[in-house]
Amino acid sequence: MRRLQALLILVWMLCGVAVVRGASALADSEAQQALGRIETTRDDVVLDRVNHPQTLPALLAALEVLQQEYFALWQGLWPTSIDWTSAVIGTYLSAALTTISTSYPSMPSTKGADNLLNKYFSQLSASYFGQDAFSLRQEAYDDMLWVVLGWLESIKFVQSHAATHYGGEEEAWHGEQWAPAFAHRARLFWEIASQGWDTSLCNGGMIWSPYLVPYKNAITNELWIAASISMYLYFPGDENTSPFGYPSPAMDSPAIAHDPKYLAAAIEAYRWLNDSNMTDDQGLYVDGYHVSGRSEKGSNNDSKSNTKCDSRNEMVYTYNQGVLLSGQRGLYEASGARSYLEEGHKLVEDVIAATGWSLKHDGVIPGDETDGHKLGKWHGLGRSGVLEEACDAQAYCSQNGQTFKGIFFHHLTLFCAPLPEHLVVPGDLLPSKHAKNEPPANPHEVRHWHDKTCGRYRGWIKHNAEAALTTRNAEGKFGMWWGAPLHSKPDTDAEGELPSDAVDYRNQGVPEQWRDTGRQTRDLSKHNRDFETRGGTVRIPDLNDRGRGRTVETQGGGVMVLRALWELCPLPASARNQGHRHSRRLSVAAQLRPATLLRECIFGIVTPGPKARAETPGRRIIFGAPRLQRITLLSGTHHRDSSTTSCSAETGSPMIAWDPREKQW
């Protein structure tokens, strides 16, 4: 008893110190933590699902910030996004809905899960009307294809949720009424984008935009592959022929599900991309090709003009490595050709190596470790095992660049999802000249091999999720540079090294003359730089506040890397079903807002439920002062039969606990 009293006195004294230092403590806590220097405590969001199944609460918290802070329900859109990034964010929302639907056993209650899912689905439905579909029809072909993938992802969610939760019900799920509208928009934009396939230059391939010099880039062709094979697999058909006669006669008649034309388009485009020599020495996809001698649209079109893709832009982006993965996965499902998956795994392994991560050692490449103060070596797409854009360190990423990492992890999740029991293999198409010359592999053997190979990526995914979580500010918003160091000024060598002949047009804008492919000089805006004062330079305390700062696009990236962790790093069945037990552990991290978690540790009763709150019978301890960082709130245990809740805290020595019955520590 004396030991407990002495410990309580010590806690009370520390509270006084914390109150005196409150302002500085809160300021320190709001700055992002350094990668590699995070003390993982019980009230932090711990990422090892086998031992600490708190990844789902972290994902739901990130999704809540995405929708609450960035989505305007009355407009039906994310107002700070642009047309194509808005389509991508909608895709993320649909994917997250699928995760919620399949994670009911891990949720506190079925009723709460239903309410959460229907809330987000109503917002997704509103975004159908908020999307500027008329403007998007006049934009580049890649913009159109993001729309196709987005609504197909929504259809996948609707069909999956209806089959899982309403398969045996007499009454259908209300969300199924939206599938025809989603399907029609996907079909319309696929038909418009099909005009981008061009055989007059480079023997095929999609051009990026009809309004610029012909440019056949990786992303538009990868999107065409992914969108076409997804139309073949998931498009349910469409009887709506509006708008009549536009953009092609194909829209004047109903469309059928599993139309072979979609599969043929995907196979032909994949063959062209493989033959295009669009990968560098690291196995990464560069951005694309121009046709030399064509300085303006429509010039040099005589019979002697050059028609070869011979001017390559060596710029490397993360999303160019991601979108193709879902296309390769879909092509395997439609053909049974294992080589599609093998080539996909080779690409994933090359990306991971380009971040400085060793799959052999399941860790950062030996000798390249960092303590969070010094940046690791640049490997092409990151450093110290963390995925990174070349624009991250100097904070000149545009709205485009801020979207790329989330896209990569979304398509990696699609690629590594469990393969289906049965494949959709059209026997009459396999022997065609476009298909791979190989018989379908044994699906059961391929499933085992695919799951085992994807399992090798779990350590790297967890490493990146941890890095992303360090960038959250007090409002729970994710930053862009996941590998940002502790100090407030980047090293002089922090900039990602660009290859020669690389044009970073996605972050710096399209240059006037595409033939000038030399490295572009950057003119960083004042918003990117340190503030100058008479007394010297004032450093920006958080490197992720520079440039465009934290945005809807960077938040989407955080959601997608956490979803990848949850979906691809599975829990044992017993842990997954813990939400339905009579006695279950409550994750405090799941119930309190991130700002609370970063700033304070509260001793008190934790009321269970989706809107759990902390009632403080004693004092509030500011969380952030150096001597208090080891004091952490543990999870409570709620018993349905007795309606009692216990809450305990750890101080690094003996345990103290609040007894709700005796109302004392």
Side-chain angles (χ1 to χ4, degrees):
M1 185 65 182
R2 289 182 178 179
R3 190 175 188 180
L4 180 60
Q5 290 176 342
L7 185 57
L8 287 173
I9 293 173
L10 175 61
V11 171
W12 181 83
M13 293 174 64
L14 290 175
C15 288
V17 174
V19 170
V20 172
R21 300 188 57 188
S24 62
L26 289 176
D28 291 341
S29 67
E30 291 182 3
Q32 71 179 41
Q33 301 178 60
L35 179 62
R37 293 183 60 84
I38 304 172
E39 293 188 17
T40 304
T41 53
R42 288 291 189 92
D43 64 333
D44 286 327
V45 178
V46 185
L47 298 181
D48 186 348
R49 289 178 60 193
V50 176
N51 299 316
H52 303 279
Q54 297 181 11
T55 306
L56 182 61
L59 168 59
L60 296 180
L63 182 62
E64 178 189 5
V65 174
L66 177 69
Q67 292 304 104
Q68 182 173 322
E69 299 295 329
Y70 295 107
F71 185 76
L73 184 61
W74 70 278
Q75 293 177 284
L77 50 78
W78 297 265
T80 58
S81 66
I82 52 180
D83 284 345
W84 86 267
T85 66
S86 182
V88 170
I89 297 298
T91 309
Y92 294 168
L93 181 57
S94 296
L97 281 167
T98 299
T99 293
I100 294 173
S101 175
T102 57
S103 301
Y104 272 34
S106 300
M107 305 285 276
S109 70
T110 300
K111 184 177 180 180
D114 268 335
N115 189 54
L116 185 68
L117 182 140
N118 283 300
K119 179 183 77 170
Y120 289 140
F121 182 69
S122 68
Q123 295 174 359
L124 176 68
S125 304
S127 73
Y128 176 85
F129 298 103
Q131 187 172 68
D132 194 348
F134 292 100
S135 174
L136 279 159
R137 294 180 196 177
Q138 311 302 320
E139 296 179 14
Y141 294 123
D142 62 337
D143 299 322
M144 301 177 193
L145 292 169
W146 293 117
V147 176
V148 177
L149 287 180
W151 294 114
L152 289 176
E153 191 69 34
S154 301
I155 291 171
K156 287 165 58 180
F157 156 68
V158 168
Q159 294 176 341
S160 171
H161 184 71
T164 301
H165 298 278
Y166 294 85
E169 301 290 335
E170 295 181 0
E171 185 175 350
W173 181 52
H174 71 86
E176 293 182 82
Q177 66 184 321
W178 285 96
F182 297 163
H184 179 67
R185 182 161 294 177
R187 174 198 177 193
L188 173 63
F189 275 85
W190 188 90
E191 292 289 350
I192 300 174
S194 67
Q195 299 174 90
W197 184 262
D198 167 67
T199 57
S200 65
L201 300 173
C202 314
N203 296 317
M206 291 284 291
I207 62 172
W208 174 38
S209 171
Y211 310 111
L212 299 172
V213 174
Y215 184 52
K216 300 204 171 183
N217 59 352
I219 193 59
T220 308
N221 283 277
E222 292 176 3
L223 282 166
W224 179 243
I225 294 167
S228 296
I229 196 61
S230 295
M231 286 290 289
Y232 176 74
L233 293 173
Y234 309 117
F235 176 65
D238 177 28
E239 297 182 355
N240 186 349
T241 58
S242 174
F244 302 99
Y246 179 85
S248 69
M251 289 300 296
D252 287 337
S253 58
I256 62 173
H258 306 299
D259 191 328
K261 75 174 184 179
Y262 300 128
L263 178 56
I267 291 175
E268 182 181 16
Y270 191 82
R271 175 196 57 78
W272 180 87
L273 185 64
N274 265 359
D275 294 341
S276 67
N277 187 32
M278 213 175 287
T279 54
D280 62 14
D281 293 339
Q282 292 182 277
L284 305 176
Y285 278 90
V286 299
D287 195 73
Y289 277 101
H290 279 102
V291 178
S292 63
R294 292 176 177 258
S295 59
E296 60 184 45
K297 185 175 182 288
S299 67
N300 300 328
N301 283 328
D302 58 84
S303 59
K304 296 182 180 179
S305 64
N306 180 33
T307 61
K308 295 182 179 180
C309 282
D310 56 358
S311 179
R312 197 168 86 164
N313 179 7
E314 300 293 332
M315 190 64 201
V316 176
Y317 299 111
T318 59
Y319 79 151
N320 279 342
Q321 325 309 319
V323 173
L324 185 61
L325 296 175
S326 62
Q328 291 165 321
R329 155 65 180 256
L331 282 167
Y332 164 74
E333 289 188 34
S335 69
R338 172 172 167 161
S339 58
Y340 286 118
L341 295 178
E342 292 173 341
E343 291 164 6
H345 282 295
K346 175 63 167 58
L347 178 57
V348 175
E349 291 168 3
D350 289 339
V351 170
I352 292 175
T355 67
W357 183 271
S358 169
L359 287 173
K360 179 180 179 180
H361 298 93
D362 196 25
V364 177
I365 293 176
D368 199 32
E369 299 88 352
T370 177
D371 60 359
H373 289 270
K374 183 179 180 181
L375 289 173
K377 176 185 176 182
W378 176 257
H379 289 272
L381 270 181
R383 63 189 101 218
S384 302
V386 179
L387 193 65
E388 184 177 326
E389 299 292 343
C391 59
D392 280 357
Q394 295 298 322
Y396 67 91
C397 298
S398 69
Q399 205 155 2
N400 299 313
Q402 286 193 325
T403 317
F404 293 167
K405 288 198 288 285
I407 291 171
F408 175 85
F409 277 101
H410 169 62
H411 288 271
L412 175 63
T413 305
L414 295 178
F415 177 74
C416 276
L419 293 172
E421 293 283 351
H422 304 286
L423 303 180
V424 183
V425 182
D428 58 337
L429 189 66
L430 276 177
S432 75
K433 64 178 181 179
H434 300 303
K436 294 212 170 192
N437 187 23
E438 61 179 281
N442 184 313
H444 299 290
E445 293 179 359
V446 173
R447 285 185 66 193
H448 176 74
W449 163 79
H450 182 65
D451 290 344
K452 182 178 180 180
T453 306
C454 284
R456 300 174 63 224
Y457 312 145
R458 291 172 184 167
W460 181 76
I461 293 170
K462 177 177 180 288
H463 183 67
N464 276 266
E466 288 175 336
L469 282 168
T470 66
T471 69
R472 292 178 305 168
N473 63 8
E475 297 174 339
K477 295 180 179 179
F478 284 77
M480 175 65 186
W481 189 12
W482 295 351
L486 176 64
H487 50 77
S488 61
K489 184 177 181 180
D491 295 337
T492 55
D493 60 349
E495 181 180 355
E497 182 179 349
L498 300 185
S500 59
D501 296 326
V503 181
D504 189 2
Y505 70 104
R506 299 303 281 169
N507 292 299
Q508 299 172 349
V510 177
E512 293 184 4
Q513 294 184 341
W514 275 90
R515 292 173 60 191
D516 181 11
T517 56
R519 182 174 177 177
Q520 304 295 302
T521 57
R522 278 185 293 280
D523 182 17
L524 301 182
S525 66
K526 294 181 179 179
H527 189 53
N528 289 357
R529 297 172 178 168
D530 297 328
F531 297 99
E532 299 293 336
T533 66
R534 292 182 180 179
T537 301
V538 178
R539 309 299 180 199
I540 299 176
D542 187 336
L543 291 174
N544 274 295
D545 282 338
R546 302 170 303 151
R548 299 192 71 248
R550 291 170 170 84
T551 65
V552 62
E553 289 84 11
T554 62
Q555 189 68 23
V559 171
M560 284 299 99
V561 71
L562 289 176
R563 180 173 183 261
L565 183 68
W566 174 255
E567 294 289 347
L568 304 183
C569 303
L571 273 172
S574 58
R576 269 190 176 274
N577 295 327
Q578 67 175 354
H580 287 321
R581 293 180 178 178
H582 290 292
S583 178
R584 59 183 175 81
R585 291 184 63 80
L586 296 173
S587 166
V588 177
Q591 314 299 345
L592 303 179
R593 293 185 61 82
T596 306
L597 293 176
L598 288 172
R599 293 180 180 179
E600 59 195 34
C601 174
I602 302 175
F603 291 83
I605 301 174
V606 178
T607 305
K611 297 183 179 180
R613 55 194 174 87
E615 299 173 358
T616 311
R619 290 179 175 270
R620 171 179 293 182
I621 298 181
I622 302 299
F623 185 68
R627 297 180 64 183
L628 295 176
Q629 289 185 0
R630 294 297 302 162
I631 301 179
T632 60
L633 186 63
L634 295 184
S635 300
T637 302
H638 173 61
H639 305 274
R640 291 185 179 179
D641 53 351
S642 61
S643 298
T644 61
T645 304
S646 62
C647 179
S648 58
E650 179 184 24
T651 61
S653 52
M655 299 294 296
I656 58 175
W658 173 259
D659 187 335
R661 294 179 177 176
E662 299 295 331
K663 296 184 178 180
Q664 66 179 9
W665 290 103

